[in-house]
């Protein structure tokens, strides 16, 4: 797919539903008694993988254009799947479902695509094993395919060495089936959608600092969930508006949970003009309309506790830093190496191809901004966040950019190119 320089971006977009919250609505809805109704569900390939896994375990899920209905069967209502569960490209599906499967009275197998088969699963295998689960990496390399024999699980307190909501959520979900309370402490607070939503469904979950705890065997009840717009998807338009002079855009009903809003903090720190309108905290997940106006930016340092709050936005933040005056340092972000691709590697390779001054470090990147970019051939490595990052970067670069494997955006944002086009549509 080809992209060229754009004139200023103008207009209003409603980004699709949050991926993390959409996954959880299906999983928790399946384990609840009664029907869960979800609106603004993200119809991305990752969330569809979650739906198909639960269908394979006997949960009836109606996927209508306006709403999805999950007919939950309670904590102990899942059935033995007929074959291996296919988690596709989705780390969230793989890791969260593993926590649930560990507490069932059947054996199951999980597998996904090539990317999933190289992502680290020891981070969940270790705590689940400590709880008494029998979980095996079938190739013995700590990755999927996994075989999980459901077992009696015990309560633990686990100290994780990564700030990962997938690890934390996996342990909390296994905690639903344990014989004693389960708690997990992480080095920094990761996104807390599981804690908020499990509480909403009726579980007893507490959060103190970077520790989350859950009591076993709650009675979960079906709920109504309106999924907020995904700030990780909004980030591409925020960056585009800040890269292309004269832009002014409005993004409606975006989730601004403080465990997810790091991209707003970093952009503002770089000098971005971002206004929050219609702030609302209705269903426990705060939202706002975001008004973004083009602004000249300067470099910044991003690290520490901020990293988990924008982990998926770091690729687009690195691209944005190319347009900021001075140096930007991204550190403490070694987790980028184990995402859908090695995102440090792929960002450095592709931004350099466009003429950027960027260096990889052990735990991040250093970018010298202010050097004009030119078009190039970009290898997305089939990573949706890389494809979207370069689609917007190309709008502020000279010449033509070609992105290979560009349709991988279907993982998290099937209508991305149409929405981006609608903001660029003004004639020059
Ligand atoms: C997610 C957590 C993050 C994030 C991923 C979604 C979630 O992963 O990168 O896209 O829904 O819990 P980690 O928790 O592994 O950092």
């Amino acid at each position: 797919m080809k992209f060229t320089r754009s004139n200023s971006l103008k207009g209003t977009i409603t980004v699709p539903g949050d991926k993390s919250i959409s996954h959880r609505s299906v999983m928790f809805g399946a384990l609840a008694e009664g029907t869960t109704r979800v609106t603004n569900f993200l119809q991305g390939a990752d969330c569809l993988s979650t739906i198909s896994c639960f269908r394979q375990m006997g949960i009836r899920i109606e996927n209508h254009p306006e709403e999805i209905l999950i007919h939950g069967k309670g904590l102990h209502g899942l059935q033995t799947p007929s074959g291996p569960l296919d988690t596709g490209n989705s780390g969230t599906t793989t890791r969260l479902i593993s926590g649930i499967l560990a507490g069932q009275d059947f054996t199951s197998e999980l597998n996904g695509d090539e990317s999933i088969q190289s992502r680290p699963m020891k981070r969940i295998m270790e705590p689940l094993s400590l709880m008494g689960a029998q979980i095996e990496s079938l190739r013995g390399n700590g990755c999927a395919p996994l075989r999980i024999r459901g077992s009696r699980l015990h309560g633990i307190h686990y100290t994780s060495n990564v700030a990962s909501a997938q690890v934390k959520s996996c342990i909390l979900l296994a905690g639903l089936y344990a014989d004693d309370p389960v708690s997990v402490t992480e080095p920094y607070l990761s996104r807390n959608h599981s804690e908020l939503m499990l509480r909403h469904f009726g579980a007893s979950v507490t959060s103190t600092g970077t520790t989350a705890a859950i009591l076993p065997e709650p009675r979960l009840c079906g709920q109504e969930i309106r999924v907020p717009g995904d700030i990780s998807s909004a980030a591409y338009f925020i960056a585009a508006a800040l890269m292309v002079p004269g832009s002014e855009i409005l993004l409606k009903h975006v989730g601004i949970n403080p465990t997810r809003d790091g991209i707003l903090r970093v952009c503002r720190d770089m000098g971005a003009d971002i206004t929050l309108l219609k702030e609302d905290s209705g269903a426990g997940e705060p939202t706002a309309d975001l008004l973004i106006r083009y602004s000249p930016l300067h470099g910044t340092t991003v690290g520490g506790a901020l990293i988990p709050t924008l982990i998926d936005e770091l690729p687009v933040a690195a691209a944005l830093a190319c347009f900021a005056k001075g140096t930007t340092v991204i550190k403490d972000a070694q987790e980028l190496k184990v995402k859908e691709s090695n995102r440090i590697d792929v960002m450095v390779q592709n931004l350099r191809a466009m003429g950027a001054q960027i260096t990889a470090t052990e735990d991040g990147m250093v970018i010298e901004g202010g050097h004009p970019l030119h078009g190039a051939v970009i290898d997305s490595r089939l990573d949706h966040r890389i494809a979207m990052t370069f689609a917007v970067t190309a709008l502020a670069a000279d010449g033509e950019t070609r992105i290979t494997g560009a349709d991988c955006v279907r993982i998290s944002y099937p209508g991305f190119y149409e929405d981006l086009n609608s903001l660029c549509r003004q004639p020059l």
Side-chain angles (χ1 to χ4, degrees), residues 19-20 24 92 95 123 163-166 191 311-312 339:
K19 182 155 80 74
S20 295
R24 287 158 171 81
T92 306
R95 297 198 177 108
R123 54 181 60 196
S164 161
Q166 294 181 353
R191 63 192 67 190
I311 186 72
D312 293 338
K339 293 295 177 186

